[in-house]
C-alpha cells in the first residue's frame, strides 16, 4: 500500500485458537458499543469463522448465539478419508445455513481468509471465491481434519504460517491495524504423556511466531486464555466472551487517539526509515564535537 499519513481506516486481524474463539466475539461487541467501524477484517482458523460472520453483517450478539454451543464434537464429522480423523462438512453446512452459499468478495466488509498449502508450505490469502471452501481450509487442523482441496491445492489450517493475519490488512487499505491474539499464554500444561509433549511443542512453535506477528499490529490485544479448553467451553461462554470484551474495551480509547494522531505517527515512522541516523545520535555527536 502507498504511504498515506491520513489513512485512518481500521483493519482487524482475528487469530486462531479453536474453541477459545468466543473471545473474538466479545472484542467485536466492544467495537459495536463504541460505534467504531471496522473497514476490513482478516482471520485464520476460528478467527476466519468469526470474521466471516462479522463481514457478512452479523452483529456480535448474533454470532455469539450461533457459536456459543459449538465444540469439537459438533464441528467434526468422523470420516474414513485419508489425511485426518474428521471432515469439515459440519462447518460448511453451518456457514451455508447461516450465510448462504456466498462468495468472499460479496461481503459487506472486505474480508481475507488465510490457509496453508500443506505441500509447498505457502500461505494462501483468499479474498474471493467460495466462503465455505476458504473457511473450511483455514480451520482444517493438520492430522485432525482432512485437508481441503481448492483449485488443485491441498490446504490446511492457516495458523501454520500466520496465525494472526496482520499482513493482508495493508493491501486491503488499512491505515491502522488491530490484532487479537488468543494464544498469548505464559505457561503450557504439564505434559502427562507423549501426545501432550508433541502438542505443547507444536503450540510453542505457533505461539512464538504469533508473538512476532502481533508486534506488527498498531494496536495489539494479547489474551492469555490458557485456562480455557481448545475443544469445548460451552459451560464458560459468558466468561470467555468477556475475556475479549474487556481488553478490547480498554484498547478502544487508545485506538481513538491513534486515529487522531495517525498523521503525526505516520510521518514519524517515515522519517525514521528515511533518515540515516536518529535525532538523539545527532545530538550526541554534536555534544562530543563541542
Amino acid at each position: 500500500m502507498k504511504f498515506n499519513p491520513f489513512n485512518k481506516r481500521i483493519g482487524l486481524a482475528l487469530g486462531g485458537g479453536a474453541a477459545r474463539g468466543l473471545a473474538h466475539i466479545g472484542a467485536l461487541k466492544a467495537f459495536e458499543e463504541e460505534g467504531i467501524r471496522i473497514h476490513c477484517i482478516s482471520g485464520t482458523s476460528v478467527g476466519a469463522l468469526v470474521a466471516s460472520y462479522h463481514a457478512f453483517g452479523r452483529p456480535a450478539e448474533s454470532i455469539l448465539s450461533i457459536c456459543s454451543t459449538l465444540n469439537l464434537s459438533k464441528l467434526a464429522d468422523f470420516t474414513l478419508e485419508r489425511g485426518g480423523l474428521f471432515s469439515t462438512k459440519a462447518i460448511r453446512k453451518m456457514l451455508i445455513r447461516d450465510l448462504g452459499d456466498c462468495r468472499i468478495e460479496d461481503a459487506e466488509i472486505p474480508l481475507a481468509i488465510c490457509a496453508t498449502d500443506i505441500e509447498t508450505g505457502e500461505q494462501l490469502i483468499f479474498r474471493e471465491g467460495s466462503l465455505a471452501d476458504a473457511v473450511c481450509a483455514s480451520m482444517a487442523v493438520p492430522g485432525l481434519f482432512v485437508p481441503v482441496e481448492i483449485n488443485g491445492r491441498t490446504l490446511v489450517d492457516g495458523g501454520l504460517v500466520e496465525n494472526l493475519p496482520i499482513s493482508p490488512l495493508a493491501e486491503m487499505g488499512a491505515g491502522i491495524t488491530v490484532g487479537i491474539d488468543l494464544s498469548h499464554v505464559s505457561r503450557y500444561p504439564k505434559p502427562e504423556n507423549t501426545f501432550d509433549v508433541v502438542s505443547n511443542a507444536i503450540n510453542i512453535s505457533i505461539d512464538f511466531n504469533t508473538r512476532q506477528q502481533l508486534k506488527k499490529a498498531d494496536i495489539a490485544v494479547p489474551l492469555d486464555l490458557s485456562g480455557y479448553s481448545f475443544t469445548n467451553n460451552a459451560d464458560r461462554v459468558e466468561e470467555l466472551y468477556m475475556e475479549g470484551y474487556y481488553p478490547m474495551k480498554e484498547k478502544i480509547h487508545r485506538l481513538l487517539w491513534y486515529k487522531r494522531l495517525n498523521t503525526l505517527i505516520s510521518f514519524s515512522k517515515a522519517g525514521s526509515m528515511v533518515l540515516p541516523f536518529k535525532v538523539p545520535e545527532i545530538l550526541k555527536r554534536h555534544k562530543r564535537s563541542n
Side-chain angles (χ1 to χ4, degrees):
M1 189 180 84
K2 293 183 179 179
F3 172 68
N4 181 1
F6 304 103
N7 185 357
K8 299 178 182 179
R9 293 168 58 85
I10 296 172
L12 177 64
L14 303 182
R20 300 173 180 180
L22 291 173
H24 282 321
I25 308 173
L28 291 175
K29 182 63 176 179
F31 275 96
E32 289 179 4
E33 286 187 349
E34 297 294 334
I36 297 177
R37 178 186 174 191
I38 297 171
H39 296 85
C40 56
I41 188 168
S42 62
T44 294
S45 198
V46 71
L49 181 68
V50 175
S52 296
Y53 277 102
H54 182 73
F56 276 88
R58 291 298 183 97
E61 293 293 340
S62 174
I63 303 173
L64 182 63
S65 66
I66 294 169
C67 297
S68 60
T69 59
L70 293 183
N71 54 56
L72 181 61
S73 64
K74 289 188 177 182
L75 289 180
D77 284 337
F78 180 74
T79 181
L80 297 177
E81 297 179 56
R82 294 178 59 186
L85 299 175
F86 308 102
S87 77
T88 54
K89 291 179 181 178
I91 300 172
R92 180 183 303 278
K93 289 178 182 177
M94 183 181 73
L95 284 165
I96 294 176
R97 178 199 68 198
D98 296 331
L99 302 176
D101 191 9
C102 52
R103 297 181 63 81
I104 298 170
E105 62 267 31
D106 294 330
E108 297 176 18
I109 301 172
L111 170 66
I113 296 172
C114 300
T116 304
D117 186 320
I118 196 63
E119 296 182 36
T120 66
E122 179 186 1
Q123 179 189 44
L124 269 72
I125 301 174
F126 291 95
R127 293 180 55 190
E128 58 182 23
S130 168
L131 177 72
D133 284 350
V135 173
C136 286
S138 187
M139 295 184 70
V141 179
L144 190 62
F145 287 97
V146 175
V148 176
E149 297 283 340
I150 299 179
N151 297 328
R153 306 188 74 160
T154 306
L155 306 180
V156 297
D157 196 322
L160 294 180
V161 177
E162 191 175 13
N163 195 43
L164 183 63
I166 298 292
S167 66
L169 296 176
E171 292 188 5
M172 297 170 74
I176 303 170
T177 56
V178 181
I180 301 178
D181 172 23
L182 303 181
S183 58
H184 209 82
V185 300
S186 56
R187 191 175 184 83
Y188 297 87
K190 182 178 178 62
E192 302 292 338
N193 49 51
T194 303
F195 177 81
D196 289 344
V197 172
V198 174
S199 177
N200 276 12
I202 294 172
N203 288 330
I204 289 170
S205 177
I206 292 176
D207 294 350
F208 175 80
N209 290 331
T210 303
R211 283 179 170 81
Q212 308 310 308
Q213 293 151 15
L214 189 63
K215 292 177 182 178
K216 300 176 183 178
D218 295 314
I219 306 294
V221 187
L223 304 179
D224 184 349
L225 303 178
S226 55
Y228 295 87
S229 170
F230 272 107
T231 59
N232 188 357
N233 293 295
D235 58 338
R236 304 177 69 186
V237 170
E238 188 67 21
E239 185 181 351
L240 185 52
Y241 176 77
M242 290 302 175
E243 292 280 7
Y245 173 80
Y246 287 122
M248 192 67 248
K249 196 77 169 177
E250 292 178 3
K251 297 281 186 177
I252 288 290
H253 299 291
R254 182 180 174 189
L255 178 60
L256 292 173
W257 276 107
Y258 205 103
K259 289 184 69 176
R260 297 186 184 106
L261 298 174
N262 193 41
T263 300
L264 179 61
I265 293 171
S266 297
F267 277 121
S268 175
K269 287 182 178 179
S272 65
M273 291 186 290
V274 173
L275 291 175
F277 34 68
K278 298 180 180 179
V279 173
E281 293 179 6
I282 299 175
L283 296 177
K284 287 180 182 178
R285 292 178 184 178
H286 179 70
K287 185 176 180 179
R288 284 198 296 267
S289 65
N290 289 339

